[in-house]
Amino acid sequence: MTATALAQFGTKHIAKGIGRLTTQVMESGSGSYITMVGGRKMLDFTTGIGVANLGHCHPAVTKAAQSQVGKLVHGQVNIAFQKPYLDLVQSLIPLMPHKSLDTFFFWNSGAEAVEAAVKLARHATKKQNIIVMQGSYHGRTFGTMAMTRSKTIYSDGFAPLMPGVFSVPFPYCTQCSIANHSNGKYNFENCCMDPLLQLELLLKRESAPSDTAAIVIEPVLGEGGYVPPPAHYLARLREICDKNNILLVADEVQCGFGRTGKMFAVEHWDVRPDIMIMAKGIANGFPLSAIVSRKELMDTQKPGTMGGTYAGNAVSCAAGVAVAKAFQDEKILENVNARGAELKATLDAAKADPGTGAVIYDVRGLGLMLALECMPGHGYASKIQAKCMEKDMLVLTTSIYDTIRFIPPLNITKEDMAKGCQIIKEAIEEVAAGEKPAETRMRGQALE
């Protein structure tokens, strides 16, 4: 089939409920590049929405998976231990942000891991309510739909949803009405901390601490706009949890595994979660997710209450071991911080420029988890995205605000980063000058 015929076939036979960035057909990937059927090669600043963190088909990860396929593909977790599962636990324990996080459960997807964390929190505390952040994304399964508050599209028409879920504001300072009407008194560097006040009010008005099992938070807001919290927010959130006997659950599905320049985002603020959720970059594209907690908490669950047919697949676990080793051997975090500084400098320069700054509202992020929020009302983000695609580069929009997120491979070379920065710079300049992109039908529908 031709590329056009394949796309038509997919449109006809694949569920319409899947949003996608483009109808092009991916054929292969290598490092920072994706090649489409027909030969078009594109610089990938999406990495499968933060999954192929070490680039496509990383040699060591590929080799580990190929080797494992010849040994054991499916070692079902409820039948016996399997070696790759145990090897991965051994590899991950030294990487955990706190020594108390020593007991693991592996599953397949991020949403499943979120549900596993909810099961653990409710069972261990004997309390039912869960508090999440406005703007958060936790998944599209039936339970996680109730927790996802980034866009209504994810739960539109699927009610009634799982009960017992409450939401409070995330400290999104650039969109904070208090900060924006304070004549500069409050901002990201000097947050009003109103979200913490709103949390304390919720615990008095709607969900008593005696009914609240956990607060679930993305340490850096993901699909809601790549928003880091201000200093001291997470530490104070930890204090509120401790004061009220509420578990703190860190959803590191998108911001974990080196994306922000530290192995896990909570390390930026030295905050200990009671439960941490992992997925995406854990196995560089192989289906795998995990929760980790302290043993005393995990051991409250009776044997048989956790499991799953494909949970902790042997091939995925072998890939995960190779990922953990690559972080050490290839100095991945050093590269994240170096390349992240280069990309951030490009975005900051565009905001500071009188010509392009007129379309830019905010630049933010940590490491290689960066966002460019555009001035509202003009669709600038989708236009910049389409311009990047015209120049053979994949990027994604995100958030209810007009925002582009940049998710390049963590091991992207200096040369490829320079190429990407140049494309982004040109795309912003062309949109600021009023040029209309040709690929306007590609308007950022990769919903996650």
Side-chain angles (χ1 to χ4, degrees):
M1 283 189 183
T2 64
T4 300
L6 284 168
Q8 291 172 342
F9 178 86
T11 301
K12 182 178 180 180
H13 293 288
I14 294 176
K16 186 179 178 180
I18 301 174
R20 62 182 57 84
L21 170 61
T22 175
T23 55
Q24 295 182 79
V25 181
M26 294 180 284
E27 185 168 42
S28 64
S30 179
S32 299
Y33 292 88
I34 285 283
T35 301
M36 305 294 181
V37 170
R40 186 180 184 185
K41 187 176 181 181
M42 303 190 77
L43 181 59
D44 185 9
F45 269 42
T46 73
T47 55
I49 316 186
V51 173
N53 275 0
L54 299 181
H56 296 283
C57 299
H58 184 279
V61 178
T62 300
K63 182 179 180 180
Q66 289 171 333
S67 175
Q68 186 58 42
V69 165
K71 296 177 182 177
L72 177 71
V73 173
H74 179 57
Q76 212 285 325
V77 69
N78 296 109
I79 293 176
F81 291 120
Q82 41 112 328
K83 192 172 184 299
Y85 194 117
L86 299 175
D87 288 344
L88 182 55
V89 171
Q90 285 185 314
S91 297
L92 292 178
I93 285 176
L95 304 180
M96 291 299 101
H98 194 273
K99 64 181 180 180
S100 65
L101 301 174
D102 62 359
T103 306
F104 294 76
F105 171 73
F106 295 125
W107 222 341
N108 309 292
S109 69
E112 288 175 300
V114 172
E115 293 204 1
V118 170
K119 282 180 66 175
L120 175 59
R122 284 181 163 177
H123 183 267
T125 64
K126 310 305 179 188
K127 299 187 286 186
Q128 70 274 19
N129 290 350
I130 304 295
I131 297 174
V132 297
M133 301 292 140
Q134 293 166 15
S136 64
Y137 179 90
H138 299 293
R140 275 172 281 207
T141 58
F142 206 81
T144 57
M145 273 195 302
M147 300 170 65
T148 291
R149 301 299 172 95
S150 56
K151 293 189 182 87
T152 56
I153 184 65
Y154 302 122
S155 57
D156 186 11
F158 298 106
L161 303 178
M162 181 179 76
V165 180
F166 299 80
S167 68
V168 293
F170 185 90
Y172 191 165
C173 296
T174 56
Q175 291 293 344
C176 172
S177 59
I178 295 175
N180 291 336
H181 292 86
S182 68
N183 294 319
K185 179 180 179 181
Y186 295 118
N187 49 45
F188 182 77
E189 286 72 32
N190 184 35
C191 179
C192 66
M193 293 294 174
D194 183 67
L196 292 175
L197 172 61
Q198 297 304 315
L199 171 60
E200 291 177 328
L201 291 174
L202 184 142
L203 291 171
K204 293 176 181 178
R205 290 169 171 165
E206 301 179 54
S207 181
S210 58
D211 290 329
T212 305
I215 296 173
V216 182
I217 185 171
E218 296 172 287
V220 178
L221 207 60
E223 210 264 347
Y226 277 30
V227 186
H232 312 303
Y233 169 79
L234 281 175
R236 290 180 61 180
L237 184 63
R238 174 77 263 180
E239 291 172 2
I240 291 173
C241 288
D242 290 340
K243 176 183 175 183
N244 293 285
N245 193 29
I246 297 170
L247 298 178
L248 179 61
V249 180
D251 182 342
E252 293 256 4
V253 168
Q254 189 158 179
C255 60
F257 281 89
R259 178 53 57 185
T260 66
K262 291 186 180 292
M263 199 64 194
F264 296 98
V266 290
E267 295 176 56
H268 287 281
W269 304 279
D270 195 26
V271 171
R272 172 189 60 83
D274 295 292
I275 305 169
M276 191 169 73
I277 305 166
M278 300 166 279
K280 289 191 181 287
I282 189 173
N284 211 56
F286 288 87
L288 189 66
S289 63
I291 63 169
V292 61
S293 185
R294 56 186 183 273
K295 183 172 174 57
E296 65 195 66
L297 207 63
M298 293 285 252
D299 282 357
T300 62
Q301 295 183 309
K302 296 177 182 178
T305 58
M306 302 294 279
T309 300
Y310 301 108
N313 172 266
V315 179
S316 295
C317 286
V321 172
V323 168
K325 188 174 187 298
F327 267 89
Q328 303 297 323
D329 293 349
E330 300 175 25
K331 299 181 180 179
I332 298 297
L333 295 181
E334 291 182 19
N335 194 68
V336 172
N337 289 301
R339 304 290 83 79
E342 293 164 359
L343 178 53
K344 180 76 159 42
T346 296
L347 301 177
D348 285 336
K351 187 175 188 300
D353 184 275
T356 54
V359 307
I360 299 172
Y361 182 69
D362 189 36
V363 171
R364 57 178 175 265
L366 296 168
L368 285 173
M369 188 174 184
L370 297 173
L372 179 78
E373 184 174 336
C374 298
M375 291 294 182
H378 304 280
Y380 288 137
S382 291
K383 293 174 183 177
I384 293 168
Q385 176 191 50
K387 278 291 185 182
C388 286
M389 292 187 69
E390 288 177 11
K391 301 173 190 298
D392 294 331
M393 178 178 175
L394 294 168
V395 295
L396 289 171
T397 58
T398 192
S399 174
I400 61 169
Y401 302 105
D402 202 26
T403 304
I404 301 175
R405 53 179 157 172
F406 301 99
I407 330 171
L410 304 185
N411 57 351
I412 187 170
T413 64
K414 186 176 180 66
E415 293 73 23
D416 283 340
M417 177 55 75
K419 179 179 178 180
C421 287
Q422 184 61 30
I423 291 173
I424 293 165
K425 178 177 181 291
E426 291 175 2
I428 297 171
E429 288 173 348
E430 290 170 10
V431 170
E435 293 186 28
K436 294 183 179 180
E439 300 193 44
T440 50
R441 66 187 177 87
M442 300 171 182
R443 297 182 61 82
Q445 298 302 307
L447 300 176
E448 183 182 326

